[in-house]
Amino acid sequence: MPLPLLQLTDSPPHQTLTVTPPPDGLALTGRLKIPGDKSISHRALMLGAIATGETRIQGLLLGEDPRSTAACFQAMGATISDLEQEWVTVQGCGLGNLQEPDHVLDAGNSGTTLRLMLGLLAAHRDRFFTVTGDASLRSRPMGRVINPLTEMGATLWGRRHNTLAPLAIQGQVLKPIHYQSPMASAQVKSCVLLAGLLTEGDTTVTEPSRSRDHSERMLAAFGANLTVDLDARSVTLHGPATLTGQTVVVPGDISSAAFWLVAAAITPGSDLVVENVGINPTRTGVLEALQAMEADITLENERMVTGEPVADLRVRHSQLKAATFSGDLIPRMIDEIPILAVAALHAQGTTVIKDAAELRVKESDRLAVMASQLTAMGAQITEHPDGLDIQGGATLTGTRVDSYTDHRIAMSLAIAALRAAGPTTLHRAEAASVSYPSFWDNLTCLCESK
Ligand code: S3P
């Protein structure tokens, strides 16, 4: 009897999975639907919670991160229906009407929940809020949102000289600012814009490179008055806003699709269609990067779905070539760099990733963790302060690796394990459920033995 591809060898709270590729090889074929976009799911719940009237959401991601957002806004008075239903409804409180919760708001592992919510809370006059998260989130930098909010007149306190959660916020009437963000971050940009919703006047954010624009698109759809200047990389919210509940159909998450795009691209015999993937141009850096590496990816059935572009992505195996990635492309594929590193291991030549220091302050230090875990599997990787040099053509050998509780690391290492010789044992594999609870089921269904 063939060995199962995946075997659970431990018990909660942490799960250890052993990935054993069949000796006769794998091919990824057929069609696959992936879960809803995490960034859009957060925003649909949040804007629904602060708008007037009902918001209907289809395709919401049922990962732990959006569940944290839903729980926080329920604690502040929004009525959110059963998240497991096909359509989730949110009865909004109306702008400025979030209630003071009688408990600490817990954002779990989710930086987007915490940072975006802070903008809203800071502008809720006469209300007091306390917010925290898990061990990873409590170690992530919050000064990047506390600084602009303080400039707007917000009153916040936090650990380590107001840079780390837990945080306390005393809501205030804020003043509009023009914030020149030192980093391309949609979380920073969105935090400031959400604070601007309740603020009289023009709140502007300018970024060094463009970050994902889901907030701008959805705020405009809910009725906010925004001006976007693409050349200046700036967006202005003309406040105060009035928001009205909308219908949001959430496309599949390109960050989740990326695992299968790479798995099929590096696995001989593969021909896979990933359906209904969001292809917002501020998120498609990973497609451009893989195509630059000569991956065979085509877009089919392109369409618009409630303000976001969507397509089916067909990927076939091909021999990848190394490339260099830097600059404005990096923010457009920031969450896909761990899985791109796995693709680079199977390319001819040395792939260079630069200008990606932001990866060090994600759910884990993704540069250090990917370098150490792939090196343990036999890869040759040089780590730099802002990137990685990854030698292609490595022969990987299964060994013990660890997700460091980071969802994208867990899934990237699992894809690396598919092309390794022998079993790979992945510690803390449960992290995947933050953004992709059905990842392990999809992996077993997709990877039919040749
Ligand atoms: C996100 C923005 C990105 C990304 C994160 C989701 C968002 O973070 O890494 O997974 O939904 O706004 P930064 O804004 O910190 O780059």
Side-chain angles (χ1 to χ4, degrees):
M1 214 170 62
L3 279 172
L5 178 74
L6 286 183
Q7 213 165 17
L8 185 65
T9 53
D10 210 346
S11 53
H14 295 308
Q15 294 181 336
T16 300
L17 273 174
T18 302
V19 181
T20 310
D24 55 347
L26 291 161
L28 288 90
T29 55
R31 300 180 77 84
L32 174 74
K33 279 203 175 64
I34 41 148
D37 187 280
K38 181 159 79 68
S39 294
I40 297 175
S41 295
H42 282 303
R43 287 159 173 81
L45 288 167
M46 283 190 198
L47 295 196
I50 60 172
T52 301
E54 182 174 278
T55 289
R56 300 174 72 239
I57 311 168
Q58 189 192 41
L60 187 80
L61 168 65
L62 294 179
E64 284 164 24
D65 270 13
R67 287 183 194 275
S68 297
T69 293
C72 287
F73 283 84
Q74 277 168 326
M76 294 187 285
T79 305
I80 304 178
S81 69
D82 180 1
L83 296 182
E84 317 289 328
Q85 298 295 313
E86 194 199 342
W87 283 94
V88 173
T89 56
V90 184
Q91 308 295 337
C93 302
L95 203 50
N97 294 331
L98 289 175
Q99 292 158 26
E100 181 176 293
D102 64 359
H103 213 300
V104 180
L105 296 166
D106 187 355
N109 190 243
S110 175
T112 308
T113 306
L114 186 48
R115 293 196 178 114
L116 269 59
M117 192 165 67
L118 279 177
L120 286 170
L121 305 187
H124 271 72
R125 188 164 67 128
D126 295 335
R127 266 150 280 182
F128 180 78
F129 307 89
T130 48
V131 294
T132 192
D134 70 5
S136 156
L137 189 54
R138 294 196 307 272
S139 72
R140 294 179 65 186
M142 293 300 143
R144 56 181 56 199
V145 285
I146 292 176
N147 292 340
L149 290 175
T150 305
E151 223 181 283
M152 294 177 83
T155 313
L156 299 106
W157 302 266
R159 267 185 332 118
R160 280 279 172 92
H161 307 288
N162 297 338
T163 60
L164 294 179
L167 300 162
I169 306 104
Q170 176 65 59
Q172 305 282 351
V173 175
L174 302 181
K175 58 177 191 293
I177 58 168
H178 182 162
Y179 188 60
Q180 306 270 0
S181 179
M183 70 275 295
S185 161
Q187 294 181 357
V188 171
K189 173 176 64 178
S190 305
C191 168
V192 176
L193 293 177
L194 291 180
L197 287 174
L198 283 155
T199 303
E200 183 83 44
D202 289 353
T203 298
T204 302
V205 182
T206 300
E207 303 187 274
S209 299
R210 284 192 76 206
S211 64
R212 64 192 67 193
D213 70 354
H214 305 299
S215 295
E216 293 91 307
R217 287 173 188 248
M218 206 183 291
L219 279 166
F222 275 68
N225 185 3
L226 292 146
T227 307
V228 176
D229 184 338
L230 293 181
D231 295 334
R233 299 173 313 283
S234 77
V235 49
T236 298
L237 188 129
H238 310 286
T242 315
L243 302 182
T244 310
Q246 299 294 317
T247 295
V248 181
V249 177
V250 182
D253 197 329
I254 192 168
S255 300
S256 299
F259 299 109
W260 308 119
L261 298 179
V262 170
I266 64 174
T267 306
S270 296
D271 184 354
L272 182 72
V273 177
V274 189
E275 294 177 353
N276 191 38
V277 182
I279 52 159
N280 178 316
T282 60
R283 296 284 299 282
T284 46
V286 66
L287 297 183
E288 286 160 45
L290 286 170
Q291 282 164 338
M293 294 172 83
E294 299 189 9
D296 181 357
I297 300 176
T298 48
L299 275 61
E300 299 174 352
N301 194 14
E302 286 186 53
R303 57 215 186 259
M304 285 299 286
V305 179
T306 58
E308 292 277 352
V310 175
D312 303 331
L313 305 181
R314 181 172 186 185
V315 53
R316 281 169 278 201
H317 169 258
S318 60
Q319 175 58 57
L320 300 182
K321 306 273 179 341
T324 294
F325 304 115
S326 62
D328 288 349
L329 183 65
I330 298 296
R332 295 175 51 237
M333 60 174 193
I334 192 72
D335 291 339
E336 293 74 69
I337 291 174
I339 189 62
L340 199 67
V342 175
L345 294 175
H346 296 272
Q348 287 170 343
T350 301
T351 296
V352 176
I353 297 167
K354 294 190 233 184
D355 303 328
E358 274 291 301
L359 287 191
R360 296 203 180 275
V361 291
K362 295 293 180 187
E363 287 83 332
S364 69
D365 177 342
R366 288 180 173 164
L367 293 178
V369 174
M370 284 309 286
S372 68
Q373 301 308 288
L374 293 177
T375 300
M377 295 177 80
Q380 303 239 325
I381 298 183
T382 310
E383 190 184 333
H384 300 285
D386 71 337
L388 300 172
D389 298 345
I390 304 154
Q391 264 186 42
T395 309
L396 298 187
T397 309
T399 185
R400 280 187 72 83
V401 291
D402 190 344
S403 76
Y404 285 77
T405 73
D406 183 328
H407 54 130
R408 300 206 196 281
I409 301 285
M411 294 183 275
S412 299
L413 292 176
I415 301 301
L418 287 180
R419 295 296 321 277
T424 298
T425 303
L426 171 60
H427 186 43
R428 298 192 273 189
E430 75 285 350
S433 59
V434 159
S435 63
Y436 199 157
S438 52
F439 178 79
W440 304 111
D441 291 342
N442 285 170
L443 186 65
T444 32
C445 291
L446 263 181
C447 297
E448 57 175 40
S449 184
K450 263 206 267 188

